[in-house]
Amino acid sequence: MTLVAPARRKPRTPTTSVLFDVPGPRARRRNLLIGLVGSVVILGALAYVIYRFNKTGQFSGTKWEIFEYKQPQITILEGFLNTLKAAGIAAVLALALGVALASARVSDHAWLRVPSFWFVEVFRAVPLVLLMFLFYYGTPSLGLRVSPLWAVVLGLTLYNGSVFAELFRAGIASVPRGQSEAGYALGLRKTQVMTSVLVPQAVRAMLPAIISQLVVLLKDTALGFLVTYDELLKQLKQLATAPQFEYPLIPLVIVGGAIYVATCLLLSWFATWLERRLSRRGSRTAAPTMDARQDLGQSGGAAAI
């Protein structure tokens, strides 16, 4: 008598996703139609804008000649470097402040947890422009004089540091509870569990959100022209008043926007590269652990035999 093995059933294709239901044929056709119509509308609007720019002489050679001269090039470069300077200092300070506030938010001591909670809630709610105005125009009444650079940096630090604190706290809360329990089981203190176990995993999980907030921080430096800081937008605004080039506002806006977009894309690319590098490092560190578990299982099995 010959025994025939039962045929294996093919695994069913899942019809639902974690976040949404997988669309069927009719929904896919509808989504494709909506996408095509939206693309046509966007391209039409873009073509109309280009037509109006051309009609009003925004692409004339006189308006674009400003980029051929050395002094405007130096002015734009100085503004861009000032933007990077303010964004770099504010990013470092905001990240440090966010880590400190997040650590206080998850503390067991109420005298740390409660003030940090109100600090985060207050400075997340205050408009960034108001903070810059407060440091630049309000401090002279207290006998202090804050430079435009530090008025921008301090405003960006307080606002974005509060946002980073919530990001870090959410990242720590997203780590499975078993991770901290395993650390305590090994005899680690809470500070050691936080710095060695929870924070690295939280930063890795919240890295996309952190980079997105850094992009927002970079763009928010453009508000510095309101407190007379010589960042990129202020320099472009000054160049746009040149009558010999027929007030080239639109060309300068196009070039300035391209600089901002290129910088943000470069920052996003760096975030993607860093995330992949951290993922590869995590997989390499996890491999010896799995090998050790297999060796332990094999040795245990041999001992049982």
Side-chain angles (χ1 to χ4, degrees), residues 115-163:
S116 62
F117 168 79
W118 286 110
F119 186 95
V120 170
E121 293 300 322
V122 168
F123 283 103
R124 279 201 310 164
V126 176
L128 178 57
V129 176
L130 185 60
L131 291 175
M132 293 182 182
F133 279 6
L134 177 64
F135 283 113
Y136 187 71
Y137 295 108
T139 51
S141 61
L142 301 177
L144 301 175
R145 183 64 180 176
V146 178
S147 64
L149 170 63
W150 283 104
V152 174
V153 168
L154 292 175
L156 290 172
T157 299
L158 291 178
Y159 177 78
N160 292 278
S162 301
V163 177

Side-chain angles (χ1 to χ4, degrees), residues 43-300:
L43 291 176
L46 182 61
Y48 177 75
V49 170
I50 294 175
Y51 168 75
R52 291 300 304 171
F53 282 171
N54 185 52
K55 189 74 173 179
T56 55
Q58 299 300 328
F59 297 130
S60 64
T62 305
K63 289 182 177 292
W64 289 85
E65 283 181 359
I66 189 172
F67 300 108
E68 299 178 0
Y69 292 90
K70 183 178 180 179
Q71 187 57 43
Q73 295 174 2
I74 295 176
T75 302
I76 294 174
L77 179 61
E78 289 178 351
F80 180 60
L81 293 178
N82 288 335
T83 294
L84 294 181
K85 180 180 179 181
I89 298 174
V92 173
L93 296 178
L95 287 171
L97 179 62
V99 171
L101 291 174
S103 301
R105 287 291 306 273
V106 299
S107 175
D108 294 332
H109 304 288
W111 62 273
L112 286 175
R113 187 174 61 253
V114 175
S116 62
F117 168 79
W118 286 110
F119 186 95
V120 170
E121 293 300 322
V122 168
F123 283 103
R124 279 201 310 164
V126 176
L128 178 57
V129 176
L130 185 60
L131 291 175
M132 293 182 182
F133 279 6
L134 177 64
F135 283 113
Y136 187 71
Y137 295 108
T139 51
S141 61
L142 301 177
L144 301 175
R145 183 64 180 176
V146 178
S147 64
L149 170 63
W150 283 104
V152 174
V153 168
L154 292 175
L156 290 172
T157 299
L158 291 178
Y159 177 78
N160 292 278
S162 301
V163 177
F164 283 135
E166 282 299 290
L167 290 178
F168 291 142
R169 186 189 65 82
I172 292 172
S174 67
V175 178
R177 188 176 179 181
Q179 298 288 325
S180 58
E181 292 177 351
Y184 291 133
L186 292 175
L188 300 179
R189 298 179 180 180
K190 183 173 182 178
T191 304
Q192 294 173 322
V193 171
M194 187 69 65
T195 57
S196 302
V197 179
L198 298 182
V199 172
Q201 298 185 63
V203 171
R204 189 178 303 171
M206 302 303 295
L207 186 60
I210 293 172
I211 298 301
S212 298
Q213 190 61 35
L214 288 176
V215 171
V216 173
L217 185 150
L218 175 66
K219 293 188 295 185
D220 284 344
T221 56
L223 298 174
F225 84 96
L226 297 174
V227 292
T228 69
Y229 180 58
D230 293 330
E231 45 78 44
L232 180 59
L233 181 60
K234 184 173 183 293
Q235 302 292 63
L236 294 175
K237 184 179 179 182
Q238 290 179 350
L239 292 175
T241 59
Q244 63 271 29
F245 299 107
E246 299 180 356
Y247 304 100
L249 175 61
I250 298 301
L252 289 168
V253 168
I254 293 175
V255 172
I259 294 174
Y260 277 113
V261 170
T263 307
C264 293
L265 288 178
L266 183 61
L267 186 58
S268 300
W269 171 84
F270 172 74
T272 304
W273 173 83
L274 182 60
E275 186 176 7
R276 291 177 181 175
R277 185 176 179 85
L278 292 176
S279 300
R280 288 197 299 267
R281 181 179 299 178
S283 62
R284 285 197 301 266
T285 55
T289 305
M290 296 299 296
D291 295 339
R293 290 180 180 177
Q294 293 176 0
D295 294 341
L296 181 60
Q298 292 175 1
S299 62

